[in-house]
Amino acid sequence: MEITKIFHFFLVKTLIKCYNNTWCSKMKLCEVNREELSPMMKQYMEIKDNYPEELLFFRLGDFYELFFEDGITASRELELTLTGKNAGLTERIPMCGVPFHSVNPYIEKLIEKGYKVAICEQLEDPKTTKGTVKRGVVEVISKGTIVNLESLNEHDNNYIASVLDLEYIYLITYADISTGELCSLSINHSKDRLLNELLHLGVKEVILEENVDAELINILKNNYSIEVTISSTYLTEGYDTLINSVDDARIKQGIRHLLYYVVIKELKDVSHISSVTIVNKNDYLEMDVHTIRNLELTETLRLKERTYSLVWLLDKTKTAMGSRKLKNWVLNPLRSIDEIEERYNKIETLNNEFILKDELRDLLFEIYDMERLCAKVICGSLNARDLLQIKNSLSVLPRVSDIVSDLGFKYQVNTHSELFDLLERSVYENPPLSIKEGFLIKDGYNKELDELKNIRSGGKEFLTDFEAKIKETTGIKNLKVGFNRVFGYYIEISKGQASMVTEEFGWERRQTLANCERFISPELKEKESMILNAEEKIFELEYELFCEIRGVIKEEILELKKTADIISELDAICSLAVCSEEYNLVRPKLNTENIIEIIDGRHPVIEVVSKNAYVPNDVLMDNTTDILLITGPNMSGKSTYMRELAVITIMAQMGSFVPAKSANLPIIDKIFTRIGASDDLVSGESTFMVEMKEACNALVGATKNSLILFDELGRGTATYDGMSLAQAILEYIAKNIKCKTLFSTHYHELTRLESEFLNIKNVHVSAKEEGSMITFLHKVKNGPADKSYGIHVARLAKMPEELLTRADAILSSYESEAQNILKTSDNIQLTMDLGSIEKEKVEKDELREKLKSIDPLHMTPLEAMNTLFELKEISND
């Protein structure tokens, strides 16, 4: 019998599930007859019409509900139960819902998956409204416009960008709504350059016009998971002060394009954005995304994690604002010697005044993320605990200001004393998360509120006094005053003494029970109304007072942002000062003579992470040496040596001390790298194609003041192809660019270029060979390496000994064959025949001059024929 019941239960459950799935799959928004819908669902449809691409969270009481396709999508993505709702139709419509008080995690999950969410709220109190409650969308949330602190990475900015194709340039206007930053950047009209800048900034969402290249949209969305929105509309009114703060009409156009989407489409208040920063790329050391990735500045190559990156190493900040500032410095090193030296001076001052530095860092630890708290004030998502965070942050500013003055720094720290006093007097120390349930405002802040609180707290005292009073006046000694949610306050008298209640008392019988009678009196009813209404009035008044306090903060928001920016800079400088002591860093010297002179340089991350003792190395390149050609066995440290120079350069120009015994460095304008082998699996490009593209990017973009790092370039193709390309690239850099270059290679034939080019110098990473074993010394010395040691490295990797013996035999055979070929054939040359190159150049110049003299528009057919024969004759010669 029990088994039959269980079977029936699961059968019914399965049938219901199948039934639900059946009607859910058929019921679509576009198929609904709106005439048959209930008033509430008609309201939903009207609102949904304006937000077809967003998932509409429709507020119904204590829940946000999603219907039709939105409900199906949300139930799948959020793993919610899909159910149905009666909407006036013959069949129920698909629906799922989430509680309004815990909606944020659900929204964050949908945003992370690439959806946009529209929040539709009840704009009227249902208790005081007859008929359908008025509703409207109050906010649209997407990847680039999140302001909720819990869903944002405190170390990173959350940028949304507008891109305008002006045919000759791309105009990028980008903003972080959560911190109040707005920047404008113009770049050359290059799709690759555009992609590089968007990836460099870490943009989460891009707004493009309708005329944009479809391929660009595909790359952004599918290759890099950047949200793309198409919009060709511009803001026509509002934010005039912000827009008119710049003179360039093109920049104004970009701001209007971005603000239309953020303000009009996504209903964001961005009045905390007070200025536009016009970014000049010439002010900063430029690095493309490949360089940032190869040098592991913000994340590691293998695990794509922040841990063990350069930012991770240098980030000793105490605030989220400082962490973001430090990352910005790492990604945008300076080119102004004066600005760099100013940061060096501050680090030295902090290290000399170490007691003040430690006290300052302790104070900074007490400061919350004021940048993003300011955004929450403007966007209306601030709660009472956020107010406490602002208050606690402001409480330490007076002492921070004193320390900054004692250190001699030129920052003017606003202590916001009046705002702090307001928050100190008004907000409870442990308020609830909700701002509409009371317990927000302290006693003594508002007289009316205090009176209401006295009424509420005096309820119990009144009942005790009232009970004693009526016992005495009526003579009924066993009566008592009670309360329940159905009748409110009442006077309870036993059956035996109920006859003692007379009309003179003015009481009204409310309830008869088996053992007692319950009455109410006019005085008790009046007090009941006062006590019960006091609670509701307290909630309303505290919310009004909270809004007033928030309004005061809003008026001071621009000054708070300036203070937050100063705090972030102080925090970042303190972090660099701590690192300089902790990692034994030194102050570098900067020169304008294009000299690199690093003594005992170290890679800071590897030094800290490595379990083995780090071997420091010199990097010596005077103004006559442009290229270091590095040879040596695999695993010997060639790549580390190259990365070491780049990281020291970046640290020096971001204003940090550097890991070396001493360092004398030039100002580098651009860094290009090709380090490590990796296929671009997303676009289907091979290692060699990626290698050639990155090399081309360097050769085209580099100047005399750039730094190029090429690690084993050409290894992705056949030996002679790779060697030829490597030599040609080296010669091109030596002859044409003449910038500082580190070029590692296994092509030992290239080392002879040192004798042909005065600006090329051979160095090698040494190793010690003992029989069949090898020990890497990791020390860079002058001159080329004598051999590759490839089989020795294979032996270290525990290859089978039989395999290694065979490899030795094959190597000996190849080496003997190569020697025989060299002895018997003097005509085979691995180097270019400079005489033939010169002859070919003369021929090309003669052809070019002849072609320039031809005017095809004024030639007869016979003249054209004769000219063609002349050109052919020149080429044959």
Side-chain angles (χ1 to χ4, degrees):
M1 185 67 180
E2 290 299 322
I3 294 175
T4 304
K5 286 182 179 179
I6 293 171
F7 173 77
H8 284 164
F9 171 77
F10 282 107
L11 177 62
V12 170
K13 190 173 180 181
T14 303
L15 289 172
I16 291 172
K17 187 175 181 180
C18 293
Y19 172 73
N20 285 340
N21 288 338
T22 300
W23 55 252
C24 284
S25 62
K26 292 180 179 178
M27 181 67 68
K28 293 184 179 180
L29 195 70
C30 60
E31 299 172 349
V32 172
N33 183 354
R34 300 196 180 195
E35 298 294 328
E36 299 176 358
L37 288 172
S38 63
M40 187 274 292
M41 284 309 299
K42 285 181 179 177
Q43 182 189 55
Y44 168 84
M45 298 289 277
E46 291 171 359
I47 295 172
K48 179 62 183 175
D49 287 343
N50 295 320
Y51 299 91
E53 297 178 359
E54 291 80 8
L55 296 177
L56 182 62
F57 276 57
F58 193 76
R59 178 73 179 272
L60 286 172
D62 290 339
F63 284 84
Y64 288 107
E65 297 185 357
L66 298 96
F67 305 110
F68 299 104
E69 289 91 336
D70 286 1
I72 295 170
T73 299
S75 68
R76 180 184 69 247
E77 300 291 357
L78 300 175
E79 299 178 0
L80 299 172
T81 300
L82 184 66
T83 181
K85 185 178 185 68
N86 293 320
L89 305 174
T90 54
E91 55 182 320
R92 304 203 310 163
I93 65 171
M95 182 203 79
C96 72
V98 297
F100 85 96
H101 61 272
S102 59
V103 69
N104 285 338
Y106 296 105
I107 293 175
E108 290 166 15
K109 191 172 182 180
L110 290 171
I111 298 301
E112 185 64 29
K113 289 174 176 284
Y115 295 97
K116 296 180 182 179
V117 171
I119 306 297
C120 180
E121 290 287 0
Q122 296 174 165
L123 304 180
E124 297 176 327
D125 187 347
K127 297 177 183 177
T128 60
T129 304
K130 294 182 179 179
T132 305
V133 176
K134 184 179 179 182
R135 294 180 175 84
V137 172
V138 296
E139 182 182 16
V140 177
I141 307 171
S142 59
K143 272 189 178 182
T145 57
I146 301 173
V147 293
N148 187 4
L149 293 179
E150 290 73 22
S151 57
L152 291 171
N153 186 331
E154 65 175 9
H155 301 296
D156 299 329
N157 283 100
N158 193 65
Y159 286 126
I160 180 171
S162 150
V163 175
L164 296 183
D165 185 348
L166 304 182
E167 295 185 356
Y168 55 97
I169 61 167
Y170 283 113
L171 180 69
I172 305 174
T173 309
Y174 58 96
D176 184 345
I177 308 301
S178 70
T179 62
E181 296 175 51
L182 177 62
C183 303
S184 178
L185 168 64
S186 301
I187 60 172
N188 295 334
H189 197 270
S190 163
K191 192 187 301 181
D192 289 339
R193 180 76 185 274
L194 174 62
L195 285 170
N196 179 75
E197 289 299 336
L198 294 176
L199 295 174
H200 178 87
L201 291 167
V203 170
K204 301 295 190 300
E205 186 174 0
V206 177
I207 304 112
L208 302 171
E209 289 194 296
E210 293 175 355
N211 63 350
V212 74
D213 187 349
E215 183 186 1
L216 178 62
I217 299 175
N218 180 61
I219 292 172
L220 290 171
K221 293 186 71 170
N222 299 329
N223 292 15
Y224 300 109
S225 299
I226 296 175
E227 188 66 31
V228 177
T229 300
I230 305 300
S231 172
S232 297
T233 313
Y234 297 80
L235 190 72
T236 55
E237 57 183 23
Y239 295 94
D240 293 334
T241 303
L242 175 64
I243 295 169
N244 293 328
S245 65
V246 296
D247 298 325
D248 194 317
R250 298 168 301 178
I251 296 176
K252 290 182 179 181
Q253 188 181 7
I255 297 171
R256 292 184 188 278
H257 186 239
L258 178 64
L259 289 186
Y260 175 82
Y261 178 77
V262 172
V263 175
I264 305 300
K265 294 289 289 182
E266 302 231 330
L267 305 174
K268 294 291 190 298
D269 182 349
V270 292
S271 54
H272 60 305
I273 299 178
S274 58
S275 61
V276 184
T277 301
I278 301 174
V279 179
N280 184 351
K281 297 296 288 185
N282 293 328
D283 293 340
Y284 305 100
L285 189 162
E286 288 189 48
M287 299 176 286
D288 59 20
V289 290
H290 308 296
T291 298
I292 293 168
R293 180 194 65 205
N294 290 335
L295 296 178
E296 298 183 309
L297 298 185
T298 60
E299 64 180 21
T300 57
L301 277 169
R302 179 173 294 180
L303 300 178
K304 307 294 183 186
E305 293 179 351
R306 190 175 190 267
T307 304
Y308 303 137
S309 67
L310 181 63
V311 165
W312 165 81
L313 183 83
L314 297 178
D315 193 351
K316 307 293 182 184
T317 58
K318 295 294 186 177
T319 70
M321 303 174 291
S323 181
R324 291 193 296 272
K325 179 72 74 174
L326 186 72
K327 181 181 178 181
N328 181 270
W329 286 1
V330 169
L331 293 178
N332 298 281
L334 300 168
R335 285 165 62 178
S336 166
I337 291 180
D338 290 341
E339 290 183 46
I340 297 170
E341 292 286 359
E342 184 179 349
R343 290 182 187 173
Y344 292 164
N345 292 337
K346 288 175 182 174
I347 291 173
E348 280 197 342
T349 300
L350 286 168
N351 287 340
N352 291 335
E353 300 288 348
F354 56 90
I355 296 177
L356 288 177
K357 178 187 70 178
D358 291 343
E359 184 182 356
L360 177 58
R361 296 186 75 231
D362 290 340
L363 294 169
L364 292 173
F365 185 70
E366 302 296 323
I367 298 177
Y368 291 84
D369 195 341
M370 289 174 60
E371 287 180 337
R372 286 181 169 163
L373 286 171
C374 287
K376 291 188 75 174
V377 171
I378 296 299
C379 296
S381 58
L382 195 78
N383 59 41
R385 294 186 185 180
D386 294 329
L387 288 183
L388 276 183
Q389 290 185 357
I390 293 175
K391 186 194 82 171
N392 293 337
S393 300
L394 299 183
S395 67
V396 301
L397 291 184
R399 182 54 188 154
V400 170
S401 179
D402 291 342
I403 292 175
V404 168
S405 178
D406 292 342
L407 290 169
F409 293 170
K410 296 179 181 179
Y411 299 114
Q412 296 295 322
V413 181
N414 187 337
T415 59
H416 305 277
S417 55
E418 292 184 5
L419 181 57
F420 171 77
D421 290 341
L422 170 65
L423 296 174
E424 176 70 11
R425 289 186 292 108
S426 60
V427 184
Y428 272 131
E429 299 302 328
N430 189 26
L433 282 174
S434 173
I435 57 176
K436 293 188 177 181
E437 296 178 5
F439 304 100
L440 302 175
I441 308 299
K442 285 182 177 179
D443 297 341
Y445 178 72
N446 180 273
K447 184 177 180 181
E448 182 183 355
L449 180 62
D450 290 344
E451 291 176 356
L452 290 169
K453 287 181 178 179
N454 287 334
I455 293 172
R456 181 178 64 183
S457 61
K460 290 182 179 180
E461 183 180 341
F462 164 76
L463 293 179
T464 303
D465 293 343
F466 180 75
E467 184 176 295
K469 174 184 170 183
I470 60 175
K471 279 180 180 180
E472 183 178 347
T473 56
T474 62
I476 305 173
K477 302 301 181 184
N478 66 346
L479 69 78
K480 63 180 181 179
V481 178
F483 173 83
N484 67 33
R485 292 185 177 276
V486 178
F487 298 109
Y489 290 97
Y490 56 83
I491 303 168
E492 184 176 289
I493 300 176
S494 65
K495 286 282 190 181
Q497 293 185 315
S499 59
M500 296 177 66
V501 178
T502 65
E503 292 184 5
E504 295 176 1
F505 295 171
W507 294 1
E508 180 183 342
R509 190 187 306 271
R510 293 302 302 269
Q511 190 178 21
T512 300
L513 301 177
N515 300 318
C516 64
E517 298 281 349
R518 289 178 176 175
F519 301 86
I520 60 171
S521 73
E523 185 181 0
L524 185 61
K525 196 67 180 174
E526 180 183 349
K527 194 67 176 179
E528 174 192 77
S529 176
M530 186 181 298
I531 292 171
L532 295 180
N533 287 339
E535 186 83 11
E536 186 175 343
K537 289 179 179 178
I538 286 171
F539 291 169
E540 292 176 358
L541 182 55
E542 287 205 0
Y543 178 68
E544 290 176 10
L545 294 172
F546 173 85
C547 292
E548 286 179 10
I549 295 166
R550 185 172 62 190
V552 173
I553 299 174
K554 192 172 182 178
E555 291 176 1
E556 202 166 339
I557 212 75
L558 299 183
E559 288 301 317
L560 283 170
K561 275 190 59 189
K562 292 178 183 177
T563 302
D565 188 57
I566 291 172
I567 295 299
S568 68
E569 283 200 25
L570 285 170
D571 198 11
I573 284 290
C574 284
S575 179
L576 295 180
V578 171
C579 289
S580 69
E581 293 186 320
E582 186 173 332
Y583 304 133
N584 192 26
L585 309 181
V586 299
R587 177 171 180 161
K589 295 179 181 178
L590 303 176
N591 67 73
T592 57
E593 289 80 39
N594 206 24
I595 295 171
I596 295 178
E597 190 177 78
I598 299 173
I599 306 299
D600 285 347
R602 314 182 305 275
H603 190 296
V605 179
I606 296 176
E607 182 184 28
V608 169
V609 174
S610 177
K611 297 178 182 178
N612 302 319
Y614 190 92
V615 179
N617 275 300
D618 301 343
V619 184
L620 303 173
M621 302 176 76
D622 59 26
N623 52 18
T624 64
T625 303
D626 295 324
I627 301 172
L628 290 185
L629 186 57
I630 310 167
T631 50
N634 290 315
M635 292 179 59
S636 62
K638 298 191 299 296
S639 298
T640 298
Y641 181 69
M642 299 170 75
R643 286 191 174 98
E644 173 189 307
L645 172 58
V647 169
I648 287 175
T649 299
I650 290 166
M651 290 178 66
Q653 290 188 216
M654 68 176 280
S656 169
F657 288 8
V658 300
K661 186 176 181 180
S662 66
N664 185 13
L665 300 165
I667 295 297
I668 300 296
D669 63 357
K670 302 175 186 177
I671 297 179
F672 300 94
T673 65
R674 175 56 201 172
I675 302 176
S678 61
D679 293 357
D680 189 344
L681 298 177
V682 174
S683 60
E685 293 179 344
S686 67
T687 298
F688 186 65
M689 176 57 80
V690 173
E691 201 172 81
M692 290 299 101
K693 280 192 170 182
E694 293 184 14
C696 177
N697 185 37
L699 298 177
V700 171
T703 72
K704 181 175 174 57
N705 297 318
S706 300
L707 173 63
I708 295 178
L709 308 178
F710 282 161
D711 187 18
E712 299 184 28
L713 202 64
R715 63 184 168 183
T717 187
T719 302
Y720 290 116
D721 278 352
M723 191 191 307
S724 302
L725 281 166
Q727 178 171 333
I729 289 170
L730 271 170
E731 291 179 355
Y732 184 86
I733 296 172
K735 291 178 182 178
N736 300 308
I737 305 176
K738 299 180 180 179
C739 67
K740 298 302 183 187
T741 303
L742 269 58
F743 195 110
S744 73
T745 184
H746 281 295
Y747 299 133
H748 291 272
E749 295 82 355
L750 300 180
T751 58
R752 59 180 174 67
L753 291 174
E754 182 183 51
S755 62
E756 298 179 25
F757 294 91
L758 296 177
N759 58 347
I760 296 180
K761 178 182 177 182
N762 283 323
V763 296
H764 70 280
V765 187
S766 57
K768 182 179 180 182
E769 187 177 4
E770 297 176 340
S772 61
M773 299 304 294
I774 184 173
T775 303
F776 300 118
L777 302 179
H778 303 296
K779 198 69 179 176
V780 177
K781 298 181 178 180
N782 290 330
D786 54 356
K787 58 191 297 185
S788 180
Y789 302 103
I791 295 175
H792 295 77
V793 174
R795 182 167 279 107
L796 290 177
K798 307 298 183 183
M799 284 283 191
E801 192 59 37
E802 180 184 346
L803 181 152
L804 296 170
T805 303
R806 175 59 180 154
D808 273 323
I810 294 171
L811 176 62
S812 298
S813 174
Y814 279 143
E815 288 176 342
S816 299
E817 186 178 342
Q819 290 296 325
N820 291 333
I821 291 173
L822 288 171
K823 289 178 182 178
T824 58
S825 179
D826 294 329
N827 294 326
I828 297 176
Q829 299 178 14
L830 294 180
T831 61
M832 292 186 178
D833 187 339
L834 297 180
S836 63
I837 291 175
E838 189 62 33
K839 179 180 178 183
E840 184 181 347
K841 185 175 183 299
V842 170
E843 289 175 354
K844 287 183 178 179
D845 288 345
E846 188 177 349
L847 277 170
R848 188 178 290 110
E849 291 303 320
K850 182 65 177 177
L851 286 170
K852 285 181 180 179
S853 66
I854 295 171
D855 184 0
L857 298 178
H858 298 87
M859 294 177 71
T860 65
L862 183 59
E863 289 173 338
M865 184 68 74
N866 291 333
T867 302
L868 182 59
F869 277 116
E870 288 178 23
L871 293 172
K872 190 173 186 303
E873 190 173 334
I874 293 171
S875 64
N876 288 335
D877 292 341

